[in-house]
Amino acid sequence: MLEVSNLSAGYGQIEVLHGLSFEVRKGQVVTLIGSNGAGKTTTMRALSGMIRPRAGSIRLNGREVGGLDSHDVARSGLAHSPEGRRVFATLSVEDNLTLGAFPRLTGSRPKGDVAADRDRAFELFPRLKERREQLAGTLSGGEQQMLAMGRALMLRPEILLLDEPSMGLAPKLVEEVFRIIRRLKDEQVTMLLVEQFAMAALGVADHAYVLENGHIRFQGPAAQLRNDPAVRAAYLGGSH
Ligand SMILES: Nc1ncnc2c1ncn2[C@@H]1O[C@H](COP(=O)(O)OP(=O)(O)OP(=O)(O)O)[C@@H](O)[C@H]1O
Ligand SMILES: [Mg+2]
């Protein structure tokens, strides 16, 4: 489904990712873990076309998407819920969700029923339903984070990239986000997940890759990494 090989990317003169190879199979949840600055967000950006890879290949369902513009990557079915809250501040919650479906309407993928999917997003995120008319910029941080996730889901993605979906959320909302991730997993949504709560991410993931200074240092079944004392000591800080 998603096959990344020898991916290099960076900013200006600086190369951050030095030839990463990994894969996410259909229906799997894969987590990327690593310390601050390891290159997790940069990986997500390179996959979604926010930055252009310098080398390597990114194949989605067998088709090369590396180097495509982000809207063309989205059209091919890759949805990115980016780090931080990137919602359209001056549009309503409802319009933000509708826009999330836009790339699928202009591409060759099945168009489906946008209104039904919006209702489904409201069912997953009842808070958003209560605030459907509200301008996204006036939502709380946690609500904006949920909107970013809901909007990404509106693509009916082949793969969903979640970069720190629980960032800045109160503990109760963190739990809610993980509950939603589990529910999506039960529905066979393929996901690549980056989370500050690495133990929780390993708890939901099937497979994990540990990123260190732009290289993959370890990989394995998530349950195995979760119990590996060296991994725990180095990357998980014993928390969660
Ligand atoms: N827009 C940018 N311009 C220049 N350098 C950047 C930019 N964004 C990130 N970097 C650098 O790239 C490296 C990797 O950053 P990245 O954001 O990918 O890390 P991360 O693993 O997501 O970290 P965190 O856990 O803190 O989110 C860092 O050294 C960072 O300073
Ligand atoms: Mg990051």
Side-chain angles (χ1 to χ4, degrees):
M1 122 94 26
L2 182 74
E3 296 165 280
V4 177
S5 68
N6 292 311
L7 175 65
S8 296
Y11 306 94
Q13 300 292 312
I14 299 165
E15 184 173 285
V16 173
L17 307 178
H18 313 291
L20 303 187
S21 298
F22 61 94
E23 61 175 30
V24 185
R25 300 204 189 133
K26 194 167 174 58
Q28 264 193 338
V29 178
V30 169
T31 184
L32 272 182
I33 60 181
S35 34
N36 296 128
K40 304 179 297 293
T41 294
T42 303
T43 303
M44 299 295 219
R45 288 180 181 145
L47 296 179
S48 68
M50 277 172 73
I51 61 171
R52 207 165 279 275
R54 293 183 180 176
S57 120
I58 303 168
R59 292 162 74 83
L60 183 60
N61 293 331
R63 179 169 167 252
E64 181 63 42
V65 298
L68 295 183
D69 288 337
S70 53
H71 60 268
D72 287 324
V73 177
R75 271 188 197 162
S76 67
L78 184 148
H80 182 194
S81 176
E83 191 180 56
R85 305 146 190 160
R86 303 260 185 124
V87 296
F88 298 108
T90 58
L91 297 181
S92 69
V93 165
E94 194 159 10
D95 289 347
N96 266 274
L97 290 175
T98 305
L99 275 177
F102 187 70
R104 92 179 194 223
L105 302 179
T106 57
S108 56
R109 300 171 60 236
K111 314 266 180 284
D113 183 342
V114 175
D117 290 347
R118 216 167 36 218
D119 288 345
R120 159 114 181 87
F122 286 139
E123 186 215 323
L124 272 179
F125 302 101
R127 279 163 175 272
L128 297 182
K129 185 173 188 178
E130 292 162 21
R131 295 165 176 78
R132 62 196 298 162
E133 309 284 343
Q134 194 173 323
L135 295 186
T138 65
L139 295 173
S140 77
E143 290 161 359
Q144 289 187 33
Q145 197 73 57
M146 291 185 177
L147 180 55
M149 249 176 107
R151 192 182 59 191
L153 278 169
M154 288 294 290
L155 189 66
R156 285 200 185 172
E158 298 288 321
I159 181 165
L160 174 61
L161 271 47
L162 295 174
D163 194 352
E164 310 251 14
S166 78
M167 187 156 67
L169 302 189
K172 259 190 113 97
L173 283 184
V174 173
E175 277 173 30
E176 195 173 329
V177 162
F178 274 97
R179 214 167 24 246
I180 288 165
I181 292 171
R182 276 176 205 286
R183 188 165 154 192
L184 295 173
K185 181 183 178 177
D186 289 344
E187 293 168 9
Q188 304 279 302
V189 177
T190 307
M191 283 178 271
L192 180 62
L193 172 65
V194 168
E195 249 305 322
Q196 54 180 333
F197 298 115
M199 286 307 271
L202 288 172
V204 66
D206 300 295
H207 201 85
Y209 291 87
V210 176
L211 201 56
E212 195 178 279
N213 295 323
H215 296 275
I216 301 222
R217 180 75 194 282
F218 301 107
Q219 62 150 313
Q224 192 178 315
L225 263 72
R226 202 166 191 260
N227 294 319
D228 184 315
V231 169
R232 288 177 85 105
Y235 302 101
L236 308 179
S239 66
H240 295 82

